[in-house]
Amino acid sequence: NERPIVILAGWLGCHPKNLQRYVQMYDRLGYTSLVRIASPASVIHAMINGPPPSNTDIGDVDDNDDNSSSSEMKHLAINTLHHIQQLQPPHFIVHIFSNNGCFLWEWIRYMLFHKSSYNLQNKLLGIIFDSAPAYFHGKVEGLQSALEYVGNKEQRDKLIKLARSLDTNRVKRRHNEFWNGLCNDTYGSENIPQLYLYSDCDELANVKYLEELIAYRRQQMSGKERV
């Protein structure tokens, strides 16, 4: 495959049709798009479960994990990297939308830089954070608000009930791990260029926290030319 690839990691409640304008834009730029959208239930589970620490051996996750929504984000990352490995593009980029995309990026980053079976590290050209990441304060209220736009009423009620059932302490702990993991990138992707697209009108991706994160990342990467 002579065309580079862009992974479009959609937001919560996103549908492939919502990403068509991005697919068309990247096609004009010469990229093949891989659209990846995690289910709402997997996003809720990602509020308490993320990748293990970078020094942890997760073993053969391809064969030994189930396919429930609690591990869907992991499997989506694995399948995405397998797909890229099969296509062997000259390079690829990741375009992340909101925290749904960030949760998927966490696993892609982990698998890419921690599993020796993937030889794609040098092909990752950059990451675009689009309205992401959202600082959720270790609470589920913002997630509940976003769920109001997902599916039909019956589906929404089930998802909101699932979100409300999450253990508060686990959500807070996971939030800290999530945010610190983006601030202090220890997985090997710390020198890869990052572009942040955001608005001061976005209630979920709060501009104050985003700009603090950007300033910190610039400091870590010795300048702003990569962030």
Side-chain angles (χ1 to χ4, degrees):
N1 181 23
E2 296 181 357
R3 286 166 62 95
I5 284 173
V6 55
I7 301 170
L8 295 174
W11 59 88
L12 178 63
C14 178
H15 297 280
K17 65 180 181 181
N18 301 132
L19 294 172
Q20 276 308 299
R21 61 182 177 139
Y22 295 96
V23 172
Q24 293 166 3
M25 178 190 74
Y26 279 112
D27 182 61
R28 291 193 296 270
L29 294 171
Y31 281 77
T32 296
S33 295
L34 298 184
V35 173
R36 297 293 184 265
I37 305 169
S39 72
S42 73
V43 178
I44 294 172
H45 283 289
M47 295 281 287
I48 56 173
N49 293 308
S54 58
N55 60 353
T56 303
D57 184 6
I58 59 175
D60 194 353
V61 296
D62 301 62
D63 298 325
N64 295 336
D65 272 345
D66 58 53
N67 289 304
S68 68
S69 56
S70 61
S71 61
E72 179 191 332
M73 204 71 74
K74 182 192 306 181
H75 285 282
L76 191 56
I78 291 168
N79 292 337
T80 300
L81 290 174
H82 279 339
H83 195 167
I84 294 174
Q85 204 163 36
Q86 289 171 352
L87 292 175
Q88 283 299 311
H91 66 264
F92 71 99
I93 62 175
V94 184
H95 191 145
I96 297 162
F97 297 91
S98 196
N99 271 7
N100 194 354
C102 273
F103 291 145
L104 179 58
W105 162 242
E106 282 185 298
W107 275 107
I108 289 175
R109 179 184 64 179
Y110 183 82
M111 301 302 299
L112 190 62
F113 292 96
H114 190 60
K115 291 286 284 183
S116 58
S117 56
Y118 298 105
N119 298 310
L120 299 169
Q121 296 91 335
N122 294 331
K123 292 191 175 187
L124 177 57
L125 202 64
I127 310 150
I128 299 171
F129 292 87
D130 201 329
S131 300
Y135 191 91
F136 56 89
H137 300 274
K139 301 177 181 178
V140 298
E141 283 78 359
L143 175 64
Q144 289 179 202
S145 300
L147 288 171
E148 293 294 339
Y149 303 97
V150 175
N152 57 42
K153 186 179 185 305
E154 183 179 358
Q155 291 173 320
R156 287 195 298 272
D157 289 345
K158 287 182 179 179
L159 290 167
I160 290 172
K161 183 178 180 180
L162 176 61
R164 288 174 176 169
S165 71
L166 298 179
D167 180 84
T168 304
N169 290 328
R170 290 187 66 184
V171 173
K172 289 180 179 178
R173 184 167 62 248
R174 167 70 175 123
H175 164 71
N176 291 332
E177 292 171 353
F178 167 74
W179 198 259
N180 290 335
L182 292 170
C183 289
N184 304 291
D185 193 334
T186 59
Y187 286 87
S189 61
E190 66 270 13
N191 291 317
I192 294 171
Q194 300 174 5
L195 173 64
Y196 291 83
L197 306 175
Y198 58 94
S199 166
D200 57 8
C201 300
D202 192 332
E203 294 182 1
L204 294 178
N206 186 290
V207 65
K208 173 182 178 290
Y209 296 103
L210 265 175
E211 291 187 341
E212 286 177 357
L213 182 146
I214 291 168
Y216 190 79
R217 296 296 295 140
R218 283 177 172 172
Q219 184 180 20
Q220 277 196 324
M221 297 170 77
S222 302
K224 60 183 180 180
E225 65 276 1
R226 288 182 174 269
V227 180

